[in-house]
Amino acid sequence: MKRLHLDVLIPVVFLLFAAFIIGFLAPDVRASGGDFEKLMTSLQLLPQRLEEIGESSNESSSDKPLPIIETYSAVMERLKADYYGKEIDERKVTYAAIRGMLLALGDPFTRFLDPDEYKKMREENEGNFQGIGAQLDTNSKGEVYIKEPLPGTPAERADVRKNDVIIAVDDKPIKGMDIQDVVKLIRGPKDTKVKLTLKRPGHSKPLVKIITRSVVQFRMVKWQMLDDKNKIGYIRLYQFNEKSDEQFDDALTELEKRHVKGLILDLRSNPGGLLQAAVDIGSRFIESGPVVIIQERGGQRNPLYVEQEKHNHKRYPLVVLVDKSSASASEIVSGAIKDVGVGTLVGTNTFGKGRVQTIMPLQDGSAVAITTAKYLTPKGTDIHKKGIEPDIVVEQPDPETIMAKFGIKDTDKLDLSDPKYDIQLNKAMDVLKVKMGILPKSVLEKMQKAAKALK
Amino acid sequence: MTYDSLKAMLASLEDPNTRFLEPAQRKLVTDAAEGKYHGIGAILGIKRVPSGKIMEEHLIVIAPLKGGPADQAGLKPGDDIVKIDGRDVLPLHPYQRAEEMVKEERTKNSLELRKDLEAERKRIENGIGILDAEDLLTSDPGENEKKEVELTVIRQGSTKELKLKVVRQPFSPIPVESSTFENGTVGYIKVNCIARNTAEKLANALKNLQSDNVKGLVLDLRNLAGGEINSILKIAKPFLSGKIMAIEMKSRGRREQIRVPAASTSEQWTKPVVVLVNSWTARMPEVLAAALKENAGAQLVGEKTYGDLSAITIIDLADGSAVAMTTGAFLTGKGGNYNGKGVPVDVEVASAKDDLQLKTALRLAAKGGRD
């Protein structure tokens, strides 16, 4: 294997997805790496032979740090020459060395991405993947089923329907398989074919569908006219990628066709994404000035200004929903909206990721993400590790509380995706109604009092 | 940065014997070779134990060094250290249990799962990683640290948690203890640690037993781990003078015969030998036991040994840190491979009955090593 070297720095700046450190179960580079780093020892280690690499000085413990490249090369040579056990996978060992090196910086956002991880990130950023465009989920029996065929995708064209249970992929039974592995089987390069064997409710015989894969867009936006009477529109943005702004624009256009008068922008659980997408979407709400200020290492500030060509929609009263999983690009947008005062933030304190990463692709398809700058909200606030406090703090109660409130006894009867149990969303509607003049201002004051009492 | 890189690089081989040693850890190795121990004065081991569907690493006491802090506090071989000062000792991949919960309970109700996950998250947050735990218990307290730790252990064969208070302080065990049994007819030597002076003390003990005119010898290698090859070769000298100790298999098919140096006639032990071993006889002591069985006609009594007969080389780096690396595996002179299996015994006596193991060995030795 050729030695890795750093390719030319690409000028695109990314805001890495923070998802991997948000969720308890999300893969956490630091947690696994951290414990892995020292890894297994077993019995007390005692030397069997002593040898020395590098300059032989009997007075060891010099103050000079070990030179990283030379030490790496020497240890690698020794491993290749004398390691006894399974064959040394040089690539894997090198990747681990790079990961370890970056770990030392103590910055979870500066990290190594192997070719698979980097490819996945590029797909997410581009907003495309190659597959059939069916959203999968696991049902209560542990079966993998079609949650939804996305509109305009090969899955929809092949008449794959919601609730079809997948029995086999390319004749390989998938029973007991993890959903992620099923997804891997179904995905593949465009213009190739995949055979799905499906069990459809109400059909006794399994259905077989042969589907040609194509390029499918991730759906980044979900929209809905929440309240038809008061014309309250709702847009949920899942991530900030190259397709987000376009899909967001489409959603707003659809809502405007339906005469929307007030808007709820839901950024909860949105881990961020591309910096440019944050500026684009921020520009849709802010008249002028910077959406965000990038501060380089030397302290130099580069404001990223509103793009006037994004002002193709009317202004409506705006409420933004945020929570502790709203991170990076989500915080840029919500921070700007709050600073400029064009909307009201409702929910809980945001994640607090105020650092920008630059990706350096390496020649073998892997990449290194390095924190290269911080960002400030338009008023110059650094929200890193602090997050943004919403104007109106509303916690989402835990399911027990919801069950008690709605008098639900059986946990199976609780469908948390039902908007009526979404307390934050309902409060956001009330706030919006006050802003639209439908509800009296006292509603707002009551809410603020309740939030203070909680503190 | 270089340390972290090397640690991760070596850890990626997922070989427990191949790892990076920081200067302080490297010094522990030197000290142990000189018979100086730190921390609670016990040889600890990490064992993979099944827990439901997953495997978890446990921190196990292999041998509390006799007279040391762990021994005085009442720790026993095989004790599973589950908590230190109330903090759970966490396996290498602490999130496995949570992942398992999610998988297992995907079909069950989500409320209980959430509660369980929350409890698990707290457990992990408060816990201590197994490697940090090992470091803590094998090092002496710093100036501002308290000396005493409270260990919660689960004794072998029990499910009950036991709490013991142990002091962390430097300790040097007596390397070899010797006595006679059966009215002075059987010599007994217990090896407590394998240090540079162990061979000399052993040779002296053997000399005294020779003049006592015992009929046979019981060499107790139970709960004994680690060891440097040169020390173990010297220990073997009276029993295996000039004979083959082992064959070391190396990378790329290389093999090396390892011979015990020759001893003078007066140094050689010619009477029957019975060797006591158990599942905590690990590494070089296993190599020794196998060689004594094969080339000195010794009977092994007790239970199958630990099963790690790998050869480890420590490569010192310029700044006092080091790389420990598996560079081979030991076979017996006749090619017997007990790696991953453990050296089998001739007379099996379970470890739970310590006295019975010794009694059996003494009886055998008194009869000249044969039933």
Side-chain angles (χ1 to χ4, degrees):
Chain A
M1 195 182 74
K2 274 193 255 170
R3 187 154 298 155
L4 294 165
H5 74 81
L6 302 184
D7 258 343
V8 193
L9 224 124
I10 52 164
V12 186
V13 180
F14 293 85
L15 290 167
L16 277 185
F17 301 115
F20 69 96
I21 57 159
I22 290 172
F24 167 50
L25 286 171
D28 178 338
V29 172
R30 268 167 70 70
S32 61
D35 268 287
F36 202 61
E37 84 188 61
K38 287 194 262 166
L39 205 86
M40 318 187 205
T41 92
S42 66
L43 300 171
Q44 172 126 354
L45 263 171
L46 286 176
Q48 290 179 341
R49 272 187 202 86
L50 299 178
E51 288 168 49
E52 221 164 274
I53 280 185
E55 19 180 325
S56 54
S57 65
N58 286 334
E59 282 115 281
S60 45
S61 334
S62 72
D63 289 337
K64 261 193 294 175
L66 285 176
I68 189 161
I69 302 297
E70 290 81 351
T71 312
Y72 160 83
S73 307
V75 171
M76 180 63 95
E77 286 315 308
R78 280 304 296 264
L79 282 174
K80 285 201 289 191
D82 292 326
Y83 181 71
Y84 182 83
K86 55 179 189 249
E87 209 181 317
I88 297 290
D89 180 346
E90 217 177 313
R91 178 186 288 253
K92 191 177 146 198
V93 174
T94 303
Y95 286 173
I98 301 173
R99 281 188 213 278
M101 182 179 108
L102 299 178
L103 204 64
L105 299 174
D107 168 18
F109 304 106
T110 294
R111 60 193 183 123
F112 177 75
L113 302 156
D114 67 26
D116 280 350
E117 290 165 332
Y118 184 39
K119 185 170 168 244
K120 197 170 167 240
M121 177 198 259
R122 279 196 324 258
E123 274 183 0
E124 281 181 357
N125 284 338
E126 284 163 10
N128 294 328
F129 65 94
Q130 298 184 7
I132 65 166
Q135 232 179 24
L136 306 186
D137 199 0
T138 315
N139 66 20
S140 58
K141 289 180 209 149
E143 298 168 323
V144 176
Y145 72 100
I146 310 281
K147 194 177 175 193
E148 196 182 357
L150 299 179
T153 62
E156 194 197 46
R157 285 193 291 274
D159 193 32
V160 170
R161 289 188 207 162
K162 191 175 168 172
N163 294 330
D164 283 353
V165 172
I166 302 176
I167 300 168
V169 178
D170 287 331
D171 295 323
K172 187 180 174 187
I174 59 131
K175 199 173 178 210
M177 216 185 263
D178 195 78
I179 187 162
Q180 291 304 327
D181 296 327
V182 179
V183 169
K184 267 189 205 154
L185 285 179
I186 297 176
R187 280 203 190 166
K190 64 172 186 178
D191 299 329
T192 58
K193 287 189 167 63
V194 60
K195 180 177 170 188
L196 292 190
T197 311
L198 304 167
K199 187 177 79 188
R200 182 163 293 172
H203 287 243
S204 53
K205 272 193 206 151
L207 297 167
V208 174
K209 302 274 181 194
I210 294 172
I211 307 165
T212 307
R213 298 177 178 108
S214 71
V215 176
V216 175
Q217 267 193 27
F218 286 116
R219 215 171 48 174
M220 287 299 122
V221 165
K222 185 177 120 183
W223 67 269
Q224 172 181 5
M225 189 60 87
L226 261 189
D227 179 342
D228 211 26
K229 188 175 128 234
N230 295 310
K231 301 291 176 201
I232 294 176
Y234 170 87
I235 299 181
R236 177 156 204 162
L237 186 64
Y238 293 103
Q239 244 173 45
F240 289 83
N241 66 19
E242 288 173 21
K243 301 294 187 300
S244 296
D245 182 51
E246 193 188 313
Q247 291 183 13
F248 190 80
D249 191 20
D250 292 345
L252 264 182
T253 307
E254 288 299 323
L255 283 170
E256 281 183 348
K257 276 189 206 158
R258 290 160 180 75
H259 313 291
V260 66
K261 286 192 186 130
L263 182 68
I264 294 173
L265 170 61
D266 191 349
L267 294 176
R268 289 177 298 172
S269 302
N270 183 328
L274 296 174
L275 176 60
Q276 187 54 49
V279 175
D280 290 347
I281 288 175
S283 298
R284 298 205 175 272
F285 299 103
I286 296 161
E287 291 305 327
S288 60
V291 177
V292 62
I293 301 162
I294 305 298
Q295 185 173 328
E296 310 290 344
R297 229 166 66 145
Q300 188 198 343
R301 289 186 175 193
N302 299 322
L304 300 181
Y305 290 102
V306 161
E307 293 157 23
Q308 300 293 336
E309 74 270 19
K310 302 286 177 192
H311 293 164
N312 57 345
H313 294 281
K314 287 190 214 121
R315 301 276 171 242
Y316 341 92
L318 174 68
V319 169
V320 183
L321 270 171
V322 289
D323 67 6
K324 68 175 193 296
S325 305
S326 305
S328 71
S330 293
E331 294 175 293
I332 290 185
V333 171
S334 50
I337 288 172
K338 189 184 173 186
D339 270 14
V340 178
V342 290
T344 308
L345 269 52
V346 174
T348 54
N349 208 76
T350 62
F351 182 79
K353 179 192 180 266
R355 295 294 177 266
V356 180
Q357 278 73 41
T358 304
I359 307 280
M360 296 202 299
L362 305 175
Q363 59 185 5
D364 73 334
S366 59
V368 178
I370 297 173
T371 300
T372 48
K374 61 165 83 168
Y375 74 76
L376 312 171
T377 64
K379 282 187 180 163
T381 316
D382 180 4
I383 58 100
H384 198 59
K385 291 187 176 166
K386 295 195 288 270
I388 300 165
E389 199 191 349
D391 300 299
I392 293 162
V393 176
V394 180
E395 301 271 350
Q396 178 64 27
D398 54 27
E400 286 92 330
T401 316
I402 291 177
M403 282 169 71
K405 192 175 166 186
F406 287 87
I408 303 166
K409 299 240 160 51
D410 189 356
T411 52
D412 288 339
K413 296 239 166 74
L414 179 69
D415 175 13
L416 284 172
S417 63
D418 188 332
K420 83 173 163 209
Y421 303 129
D422 190 342
I423 305 303
Q424 287 177 323
L425 178 61
N426 286 310
K427 284 277 165 23
M429 294 251 282
D430 289 348
V431 174
L432 191 60
K433 282 178 187 160
V434 172
K435 288 172 77 107
M436 292 164 77
I438 301 166
L439 288 178
K441 279 216 165 92
S442 58
V443 174
L444 216 59
E445 283 151 20
K446 226 171 105 188
M447 247 185 251
Q448 271 157 341
K449 251 185 216 162
K452 259 184 205 155
L454 268 177
K455 267 187 184 172
Chain B
M1 200 181 230
T2 309
Y3 284 3
D4 288 292
S5 182
L6 289 171
K7 278 178 197 171
M9 177 177 174
L10 296 169
S12 74
L13 298 175
E14 300 196 27
D15 165 5
N17 297 332
T18 300
R19 64 160 175 157
F20 181 75
L21 303 172
E22 288 198 20
Q25 294 168 314
R26 174 68 185 85
K27 189 168 179 297
L28 292 180
V29 177
T30 312
D31 284 359
E34 280 163 13
K36 277 185 272 180
Y37 290 85
H38 300 275
I40 62 166
I43 293 179
L44 304 175
I46 292 176
K47 244 199 159 175
R48 284 167 69 78
V49 178
S51 155
K53 278 188 186 166
I54 56 174
M55 295 290 281
E56 290 190 323
E57 293 79 12
H58 287 221
L59 189 60
I60 311 277
V61 176
I62 292 190
L65 295 155
K66 205 171 168 198
D71 185 32
Q72 285 180 357
L75 275 171
K76 298 274 182 251
D79 278 358
D80 186 347
I81 301 172
V82 292
K83 280 180 196 160
I84 298 175
D85 288 331
R87 301 165 69 194
D88 272 37
V89 175
L90 304 172
L92 293 172
H93 302 291
Y95 291 97
Q96 269 196 105
R97 276 195 204 179
E99 283 164 14
E100 208 51 33
M101 281 179 200
V102 173
K103 263 190 223 161
E104 292 280 302
E105 305 200 16
R106 187 170 280 164
T107 54
K108 289 193 204 155
N109 95 47
S110 64
L111 282 193
E112 270 167 44
L113 176 62
R114 263 172 49 112
K115 266 191 204 156
D116 290 351
L117 285 177
E118 189 53 31
E120 181 63 10
R121 193 177 62 82
K122 283 212 178 107
R123 191 181 76 89
I124 293 172
E125 265 174 15
N126 297 332
I128 175 167
I130 193 161
L131 297 175
D132 289 337
E134 194 198 20
D135 271 354
L136 181 84
L137 299 182
T138 51
S139 64
D140 299 326
E143 265 176 43
N144 301 320
E145 261 182 289
K146 62 188 181 68
K147 288 194 166 139
E148 199 177 64
V149 285
E150 187 194 73
L151 303 183
T152 307
V153 303
I154 295 176
R155 195 138 283 174
Q156 245 184 335
S158 155
T159 51
K160 222 171 59 191
E161 289 191 346
L162 257 171
K163 281 186 182 153
L164 299 167
K165 289 204 157 105
V166 192
V167 179
R168 289 160 69 203
Q169 61 184 40
F171 171 72
S172 299
I174 304 162
V176 163
E177 288 174 287
S178 133
S179 53
T180 56
F181 282 94
E182 316 276 316
N183 301 321
T185 59
V186 179
Y188 170 82
I189 294 179
K190 165 101 186 89
V191 181
N192 287 325
C193 70
I194 298 174
R196 253 168 226 149
N197 62 350
T198 306
E200 189 195 324
K201 305 278 181 202
L202 180 79
N204 287 340
L206 287 172
K207 242 177 235 162
N208 291 335
L209 291 175
Q210 292 275 31
S211 49
D212 284 350
N213 245 329
V214 297
K215 285 192 278 185
L217 171 73
V218 171
L219 182 64
D220 191 346
L221 302 180
R222 289 176 297 177
N223 309 318
L224 185 64
E228 187 199 347
I229 190 148
N230 288 321
S231 300
I232 210 88
L233 284 172
K234 279 186 207 148
I235 290 170
K237 241 168 88 172
F239 308 103
L240 293 162
S241 169
K243 290 181 180 165
I244 292 180
M245 176 76 155
I247 294 170
E248 186 183 343
M249 307 232 299
K250 297 184 175 186
S251 66
R252 293 172 285 145
R254 292 169 295 159
R255 273 168 182 248
E256 191 190 333
Q257 215 175 52
I258 293 164
R259 252 175 214 284
V260 179
S264 66
T265 322
S266 66
E267 283 172 335
Q268 288 179 24
W269 179 265
T270 49
K271 288 173 184 157
V273 180
V274 173
V275 182
L276 268 174
V277 291
N278 63 7
S279 56
W280 305 112
T281 304
R283 295 257 172 97
M284 294 316 290
E286 294 182 84
V287 177
L288 176 63
L292 289 171
K293 178 176 171 169
E294 205 169 276
N295 289 327
Q299 292 256 329
L300 302 192
V301 173
E303 47 181 19
K304 204 169 65 183
T305 63
Y306 190 81
D308 182 1
L309 293 85
S310 48
I312 299 146
T313 301
I314 290 196
I315 302 159
D316 280 320
L317 305 177
D319 73 335
S321 62
V323 169
M325 189 191 292
T326 306
T327 50
F330 292 110
L331 307 182
T332 67
K334 288 177 184 159
N337 188 350
Y338 299 119
N339 253 297
K341 288 178 282 205
V343 181
V345 290
D346 300 294
V347 182
E348 188 160 340
V349 184
S351 240
K353 298 166 186 168
D354 253 10
D355 271 338
L356 193 57
Q357 284 182 336
L358 180 59
K359 273 183 204 153
T360 310
L362 291 171
R363 204 187 64 231
L364 258 178
K367 283 187 196 163
R370 298 280 155 204
D371 254 330

